[in-house]
Amino acid sequence: MLISLSIRDIVLIDALDLDFHAGLGVLTGETGAGKSILLDALGLALGVRADSSLVRPEAAQGIVSTCFSLSKGHPLYAYLQESGLRIETDEILIIRRVIKADGGSRAFLNDQPISVTLLREIAGYLIEVHGQHDERGLLNPRSHRLLLDEFGHIDSMPTSQAYIYWRATEKALATAQKLKEEREQDRDWLEHAVHELLAFAPQNGEEAALAEERTTLQKGARLIEDMEAIGQWLDSTEGAIALLRQAGRRLGRIAFEHPVLGEALESIDKALNEAGEASEKLGHTAMMLDGDPLRLDGIETRLFDLRALARKHRVAPDELSSFTIELKDKLDQIEAGEQGVLALSAENDAARLAYEQSAEALSQARLSAAKRFDQAVMAELPPLKMEAARFKTKIEKLESSQWSAEGFDRVEFTISTNPGADFSPLMKIASGGELSRFMLALKVVLAGEEGTTTIIFDEIDQGVGGAVASAIGERLARLSKKAQLLVITHSPQVAARADQHWLIRKHHGRPSKTKVFATRTEVKPLDKDERLEEIARMLSGTEVTDEARAQASRLLGP
């Protein structure tokens, strides 16, 4: 709800402070008194484009401030939090707009600087203005679907959930298809690689084992050559053992001739024994080291092939075994991917069908609500002097590319103001007063269904009087029970319904700081007696008569 409006140095207003209450407030005054200036000033606080010409002459800047109080559950708080503004749920919202005379403007929310774009979004949650050139609020077709749902108490949540699930399955299917296509490109290579690797069957640690055995076999080949030469030197007919035996036999024939010769014979016998043992050991070792040459060739071939295969796949030899498993898994995934895509495709088809069924049910509910809504609006039009007007809620099915969580309906309120004329969007209504009255009819029907805090009607009674003006006043009073209303009016019937009444007038005088006469716009809150006098003026014109006062008293009631 709008609590207060403060204006400094805007056009003909040098200083103005207004306090507002709930219910119906009206502003009256003679034509040209400056009601438009008041709306222009309020528009600045709502994010309307700033024009430096609005700054009062001789002033450096103009300032407009508004204060709003909101309920704790008001949706604006969530929007402010999403926008990164720190506002407590029990805080008074203070919007301040500063316009410089030399150009430029700034906007603040509770002393936090904000952009004018953000200010316009915030204002949309707080206040709605209906005038001759207003294109917001109910005139915006984007709001019509939500308003119809609220009027008909239609729950779109099942459709929203079905839509979210459908889009999720669609995304999963697209991802699976893309992955399948990417993997299919490598299928031939994978099949060849897996076949090759499985045939080779690399083992963990195989490179080290092959290299060690290869080294051992290579070493044995070299030792056998040396041992064969040594064996020739020991065991051949001209070898060391044969010569020692000859020496022993010769020495044996003469050993008895001298004791030392006997000792020498014993030494030769020992040498023969040692040499024999050495020959046996050499023979045994040669048998152990004498491997199969083909075994060495086979080991070397396996080792070289293992390393070549590892280089081919750019992995370490010991990683070939796990790499084989990895490639086989990818190949298996291609096979499984085909089945997965089929399963996801079926799930996506079912999800889309569920969404379409839910959206169709939602559409039928909207069509039913639209009939009731149209009838309710049409019932409000004749008393507002719009007997010839026809109202119709237009519901069209969108293209599938435009379907959303809110269903597949495009909803727009349309009107035909003349007999035989085609239905057109609301903003095509030419007459400002006609438009305002039509907005009032919609507001009365939608009362309690939407959350706009404050609604302003600019000259809603333009071109009407008598019974029509009374009907407008009655409906404004009814609507003010649901929302705060501010009405600029020329109708005494409307003014008499007000909970608050302000008089807008021009004042001609000489400011204290200058000798030049100046014109100022003033806004004065009226008490009971002043209200009677003002309504009498509205009834009679320039000269207020006793008869006009009596009629004003009857309008105001007890």
Side-chain angles (χ1 to χ4, degrees), residues 76-340:
L76 177 57
Y77 287 118
Y79 178 77
L80 293 176
Q81 186 175 10
E82 292 174 1
S83 301
L85 294 172
R86 298 179 180 178
I87 304 293
E88 298 297 330
T89 55
D90 57 352
E91 272 190 90
I92 296 296
L93 297 185
I94 303 174
I95 296 174
R96 180 162 52 92
R97 185 85 179 274
V98 180
I99 305 95
K100 295 182 178 180
D102 57 359
S105 72
R106 292 177 296 163
F108 302 87
L109 177 65
N110 288 23
D111 289 329
Q112 300 179 61
I114 59 175
S115 68
V116 175
T117 300
L118 180 57
L119 174 58
R120 282 194 290 268
E121 294 295 326
I122 292 171
Y125 286 88
L126 298 172
I127 199 164
E128 191 170 307
V129 179
H130 293 293
Q132 297 190 32
H133 304 291
D134 184 70
E135 294 185 359
R136 294 172 292 177
L138 290 177
L139 292 184
N140 187 346
R142 288 182 296 179
S143 68
H144 295 175
R145 181 170 55 192
L146 177 60
L147 291 173
L148 180 63
D149 287 352
E150 290 176 345
F151 171 82
H153 303 286
I154 298 171
D155 183 10
S156 62
M157 184 58 68
T159 301
S160 177
Q161 293 174 341
Y163 178 82
I164 293 171
Y165 178 65
W166 169 38
R167 290 306 185 189
T169 61
E170 192 172 59
K171 183 177 181 181
L173 176 60
T175 301
Q177 287 174 329
K178 181 178 180 182
L179 183 61
K180 177 180 175 292
E181 291 171 359
E182 291 174 351
R183 288 172 173 172
E184 280 288 348
Q185 295 176 359
D186 298 330
R187 183 167 190 156
D188 291 343
W189 177 85
L190 278 172
E191 288 178 342
H192 173 76
V194 169
H195 177 76
E196 181 182 42
L197 287 166
L198 289 176
F200 192 82
Q203 304 297 318
N204 290 334
E206 184 177 6
E207 182 192 28
L210 290 172
E212 182 179 359
E213 186 174 1
R214 174 174 175 261
T215 300
T216 300
L217 290 174
Q218 288 176 333
K219 185 187 296 184
R222 293 194 303 270
L223 290 176
I224 287 173
E225 292 179 2
D226 292 335
M227 287 187 293
E228 287 178 349
I230 293 170
Q232 288 292 325
W233 294 338
L234 288 176
D235 296 325
S236 66
T237 55
E238 301 294 330
I241 293 177
L243 293 175
L244 280 174
R245 286 179 180 150
Q246 291 180 9
R249 286 193 294 271
R250 185 89 178 252
L251 184 58
R253 289 196 292 271
I254 63 173
F256 65 89
E257 298 289 345
H258 194 281
V260 177
L261 293 176
E263 293 176 2
L265 182 60
E266 290 177 2
S267 297
I268 288 175
D269 289 338
K270 290 180 180 180
L272 280 170
N273 290 333
E274 294 291 336
E277 289 180 4
S279 178
E280 289 179 3
K281 290 180 178 181
L282 286 171
H284 179 70
T285 301
M287 289 179 62
M288 292 178 60
L289 295 177
D290 187 16
D292 184 359
L294 295 178
R295 171 64 180 167
L296 178 59
D297 290 343
I299 287 175
E300 287 184 335
T301 299
R302 176 75 178 178
L303 180 61
F304 295 155
D305 289 346
L306 179 69
R307 289 172 174 171
L309 198 58
R311 287 194 302 271
K312 177 180 179 180
H313 293 290
R314 299 180 181 179
V315 297
D318 283 345
E319 295 175 356
L320 278 174
S321 179
S322 59
F323 183 67
T324 302
I325 296 173
E326 180 183 339
L327 293 188
K328 190 174 184 304
D329 286 343
K330 288 184 177 180
L331 194 57
D332 292 341
Q333 287 172 9
I334 291 176
E335 301 294 336
E338 295 177 352
Q339 299 302 318

Side-chain angles (χ1 to χ4, degrees), residues 461-477:
D461 51 3
Q462 183 184 40
V464 300
V468 176
S470 295
I472 292 174
E474 186 274 329
R475 280 155 178 77
L476 288 170

Side-chain angles (χ1 to χ4, degrees), residues 289-540:
L289 295 177
D290 187 16
D292 184 359
L294 295 178
R295 171 64 180 167
L296 178 59
D297 290 343
I299 287 175
E300 287 184 335
T301 299
R302 176 75 178 178
L303 180 61
F304 295 155
D305 289 346
L306 179 69
R307 289 172 174 171
L309 198 58
R311 287 194 302 271
K312 177 180 179 180
H313 293 290
R314 299 180 181 179
V315 297
D318 283 345
E319 295 175 356
L320 278 174
S321 179
S322 59
F323 183 67
T324 302
I325 296 173
E326 180 183 339
L327 293 188
K328 190 174 184 304
D329 286 343
K330 288 184 177 180
L331 194 57
D332 292 341
Q333 287 172 9
I334 291 176
E335 301 294 336
E338 295 177 352
Q339 299 302 318
V341 167
L342 291 174
L344 282 173
S345 180
E347 184 180 5
N348 178 245
D349 290 343
R352 174 172 176 146
L353 178 60
Y355 167 76
E356 289 180 349
Q357 291 174 340
S358 180
E360 180 61 32
L362 181 61
S363 184
Q364 292 301 317
R366 284 174 176 153
L367 288 170
S368 177
K371 291 180 181 179
R372 301 193 306 273
F373 183 63
D374 293 353
Q375 291 172 355
V377 174
M378 287 291 291
E380 293 292 331
L381 297 180
L384 298 175
K385 200 179 178 181
M386 299 182 71
E387 301 89 344
R390 293 176 298 152
F391 174 82
K392 181 178 180 181
T393 302
K394 184 178 180 181
I395 300 178
E396 294 179 332
K397 187 173 181 178
L398 296 167
E399 296 292 333
S400 59
S401 60
Q402 297 177 293
W403 293 357
S404 69
E406 286 74 36
F408 47 49
D409 297 319
R410 180 180 182 273
V411 178
E412 184 176 9
F413 301 154
T414 64
I415 189 170
S416 171
T417 56
N418 296 305
D422 293 335
F423 284 91
S424 301
L426 300 184
M427 64 180 62
K428 299 296 184 180
I429 300 176
S431 167
E434 201 172 46
L435 175 60
S436 293
R437 295 199 303 277
F438 187 77
M439 290 298 104
L440 174 59
L442 285 177
K443 285 293 183 181
V444 169
V445 173
L446 292 169
E449 309 297 345
E450 55 175 320
T452 302
T453 304
T454 302
I455 306 171
I456 297 176
F457 286 100
D458 181 14
E459 299 187 355
I460 190 172
D461 51 3
Q462 183 184 40
V464 300
V468 176
S470 295
I472 292 174
E474 186 274 329
R475 280 155 178 77
L476 288 170
R478 193 196 320 168
L479 183 57
S480 69
K481 305 301 181 184
K482 299 288 186 178
Q484 181 188 41
L485 299 187
L486 296 177
V487 180
I488 295 175
T489 180
H490 293 287
S491 170
Q493 291 90 341
V494 173
R497 292 278 188 167
D499 300 300
Q500 281 184 290
H501 190 161
W502 296 271
L503 174 63
I504 304 175
R505 62 188 179 187
K506 284 185 179 179
H507 173 74
H508 303 279
R510 180 181 294 159
S512 59
K513 296 182 180 180
T514 178
K515 297 180 180 180
V516 179
F517 279 89
T519 300
R520 296 289 181 266
T521 291
E522 296 178 344
V523 181
K524 175 180 172 56
L526 303 181
D527 59 24
K528 183 177 181 180
D529 292 338
E530 290 170 330
R531 284 190 68 198
L532 187 144
E533 195 70 14
E534 170 61 10
I535 292 175
R537 182 200 64 78
M538 297 171 71
L539 287 166
S540 63

